[in-house]
Amino acid sequence: VSQSRYREDKPRYDLLFGVSQKDTLLKRWAELMGRGAKKYSERNWEKAGTQEEYNRFKESAFRHFVQAMSGETDEDHFAAVCFNLNGMLYVQEKLKNDVKARI
């Protein structure tokens, strides 16, 4: 089996990183998560599960995206976008599973 066929349809994490590992978005997101864990406790964000919390993640993701695209550097807005998009997907899945559980 050729190497390319072996990797077919598998996530390519190796393609996420550029030349400099120190500034990858994944690393910056992980650093943001570490700061949040110190401030709020580890995995605190996983308590979210309501439509209101989904909306808050969505609003925050968009706000941070606009701030990042505007060149604001007061915080790592790109990492915050990742955090909030992940939160949206997490809550979306929770809400979907809650609906299934009620059926």
Side-chain angles (χ1 to χ4, degrees):
V1 176
S2 74
Q3 188 71 339
S4 62
R5 290 207 23 97
Y6 172 75
R7 291 196 288 195
E8 202 171 290
D9 297 327
K10 291 191 170 89
R12 293 291 309 273
Y13 297 104
D14 60 307
L15 300 177
L16 291 175
F17 306 108
V19 175
S20 172
Q21 291 284 350
K22 69 181 179 78
D23 292 323
T24 65
L25 186 53
L26 188 61
K27 180 177 184 281
R28 290 162 48 191
W29 179 15
E31 290 169 344
L32 180 134
M33 297 299 287
R35 291 189 299 274
K38 283 182 184 175
K39 187 173 181 178
Y40 302 107
S41 79
E42 289 187 9
R43 302 194 166 288
N44 184 63
W45 65 274
E46 291 177 335
K47 294 177 182 175
T50 66
Q51 184 66 46
E52 180 181 327
E53 289 163 317
Y54 173 87
N55 293 342
R56 197 171 11 207
F57 280 128
K58 183 177 177 181
E59 291 164 8
S60 184
F62 187 67
R63 182 178 62 252
H64 281 289
F65 177 76
V66 170
Q67 290 173 292
M69 297 306 290
S70 297
E72 293 185 26
T73 58
D74 57 313
E75 61 181 290
D76 193 339
H77 295 291
F78 284 117
V81 170
C82 291
F83 168 77
N84 284 287
L85 291 176
N86 185 67
M88 286 174 62
L89 292 172
Y90 179 79
V91 173
Q92 184 178 51
E93 191 65 24
K94 260 186 160 177
L95 292 170
K96 186 168 57 174
N97 288 336
D98 286 349
V99 168
K100 288 179 184 176
R102 284 185 262 139
I103 295 176

